[in-house]
Amino acid sequence: MKNLILSIGLFTALLINVQSSAQIKRTPASYGREEYIEVEKNVKLHVTDLGEGQAIVLIHGWPLSDAMYEYQYAYFVEKGYRVIGISLRGFGQSDKPGGKYNYDVFADDIKVVLDKLKIENATLGGFSMGGATVIHYVAKYNAAHISKLALFGAAAPIWTKRADFNYGNWTKTDVDGLIALNNTNRPQLLENFGQIFPANATSVSPGYGAWLGTIQAQASPYAMAEGLKTLRDTDLRDDLKKIKIPTLILHGKLDKICSYDLAEQMHSLISNSTLVPLEKSGHALFIEELEKFNSELLNFIKK
């Protein structure tokens, strides 16, 4: 009888302990933020969203993804900022639908993401094609959600020469050739761009080059071709004149993809802009002069 009572007592104590454990609420380990955000039916964008504090939103270039900002995420999270990288549709881990791939679509997608995340007073930065994209975003949406703009080796005001714009290194015929190569031998296209991406053969290490190659390989071939058409055909001069918020222009003096004279043109068209040359950099300024890139952006944000 005693053994039976003892057994019942032990069982009761065990049951109470199990119930108490079940009532303990787990503390969330994550920020609880979505990694994929739907911007229209059947189209979700991959978003890297790290840190807490004032927001910095970063848009990648062609044909990269938000992963290109790995060393900006690490730096700015440590400095107490929330850093948000958005992969445009067709690139990285974002969905890759058919349809339009122009600055209007990209800007609309960014607006949906910033609306859903309830971002305010952010710094918005864009690299290369992403730089052109954020220019259009600010002009189209009157700088909604943001208070500052940063352009990194931006493909603007126009990426291709024309009768009234004799700047940059590319003609429309050149870009037609890039599109044809994309559609017949995309590995060769990426290899060719890899050779002109840095300032010189040693300014980007083989390790960095391989890392960038893995990011580029994730891009949709269709999105790459459509993105080249947008780069070829779009004139952002009127958009640049509409920008009134403080703007930082970081640009490699040795850039072979978006030549430095484009930065000078952007600086002349944006009334409240500061142009900072990166003397040793080509198009890969975000890694070629990593410390200067990050510190110049930080100083601009803190002003």
Side-chain angles (χ1 to χ4, degrees), residues 10-112:
L10 288 171
F11 175 76
T12 302
L14 180 61
L15 182 61
I16 291 170
N17 187 52
V18 169
Q19 289 174 334
S20 298
S21 298
Q23 292 170 357
I24 296 172
K25 292 183 179 179
R26 177 181 173 182
T27 302
S30 74
Y31 293 127
R33 301 170 189 163
E34 295 180 77
E35 188 176 359
Y36 294 90
I37 294 179
E38 189 172 58
V39 291
E40 66 173 89
K41 187 178 179 181
N42 298 325
V43 182
K44 290 185 177 181
L45 302 189
H46 180 265
V47 178
T48 296
D49 190 347
L50 302 171
E52 298 178 278
Q54 183 183 352
I56 305 167
V57 180
L58 300 173
I59 308 299
H60 63 88
W62 178 97
L64 296 162
S65 76
D66 70 87
M68 67 163 279
Y69 290 112
E70 178 175 338
Y71 304 106
Q72 283 66 52
Y73 299 145
Y75 179 85
F76 284 101
V77 167
E78 288 296 317
K79 296 293 183 182
Y81 291 88
R82 179 181 178 182
V83 195
I84 300 164
I86 303 171
S87 279
L88 301 172
R89 61 174 65 202
F91 299 90
Q93 297 180 62
S94 289
D95 285 346
K96 300 170 174 64
K100 295 179 180 178
Y101 283 82
N102 56 41
Y103 298 137
D104 238 14
V105 171
F106 294 152
D108 291 348
D109 287 349
I110 292 168
K111 181 64 163 52
V112 172

Side-chain angles (χ1 to χ4, degrees), residues 259-271:
S259 55
Y260 190 75
D261 55 356
L262 296 181
E264 294 172 329
Q265 289 299 303
M266 286 184 280
H267 182 41
S268 70
L269 290 169
I270 303 174
S271 59

Side-chain angles (χ1 to χ4, degrees), residues 216-236:
Q216 293 171 340
Q218 292 181 308
S220 152
Y222 174 82
M224 285 178 61
E226 294 302 304
L228 284 169
K229 293 174 188 176
T230 295
L231 283 161
R232 178 192 65 194
D233 297 336
T234 310
D235 182 347
L236 294 171

